Amino acid sequence: MNYTARRIGRTLALVLPVVLVLSGTLAVTHVSWTTQGSSDSTLTASASDASSPAGADAKNKRRAPEEVLRTKLLSELQEKDPGIALTHLQQAIHERPSLAKHCVSLARSLGEAAVRAYGPNRAQSFARPVCDTAYATGVATMQG
């Protein structure tokens, strides 16, 4: 009897944290993080920052928010470094949780662009735990 109780306790000790993490992750992804009075100032700022030629402002307003962010982050990667772009990606996801579903795609794009700009070894040195391992996956994709 004592053995059975111990076995059940060990099983719960292993399974319970996994269940809690998964249920918490699923709960967070289904919560509406926007409020009724939220403004789109972050998106507007991103669209104006990403514009380059004269007629691009009108074009950027029609683009999806994740594409505007991708353009901005890739530009930062080229002008500064991938670490700064990854930090800004994390900040953008924090400020606009609706972009979280695009985080993996955005981070992977940054990883691929970093390899083209800095080479595989240097690109990997900028890796951060943003969007799990998507940046590293983008770097690895370009190496193979």
Side-chain angles (χ1 to χ4, degrees), residues 42-100:
T42 304
L43 176 60
T44 306
S46 297
S48 63
D49 290 347
S51 64
S52 48
D57 280 339
K59 181 181 174 186
N60 282 337
K61 289 179 184 175
R62 289 185 299 241
R63 291 176 55 200
E66 67 273 10
E67 291 305 318
V68 173
L69 180 59
R70 184 184 319 274
T71 302
K72 180 182 179 212
L73 294 172
L74 289 172
S75 175
E76 284 182 343
L77 183 138
Q78 295 295 323
E79 295 170 7
K80 297 171 184 169
D81 69 59
I84 291 172
L86 286 168
T87 298
H88 289 154
L89 171 59
Q90 192 168 17
Q91 290 170 346
I93 299 299
H94 179 71
E95 292 169 4
R96 289 190 58 110
S98 62
L99 292 170

Side-chain angles (χ1 to χ4, degrees), residues 7-30:
R7 188 170 163 193
I8 291 171
R10 286 183 185 162
T11 302
L12 283 174
L14 292 172
V15 173
L16 192 59
V18 173
V19 170
L20 290 173
V21 168
L22 288 175
S23 64
T25 302
L26 292 173
V28 169
T29 59
H30 291 292

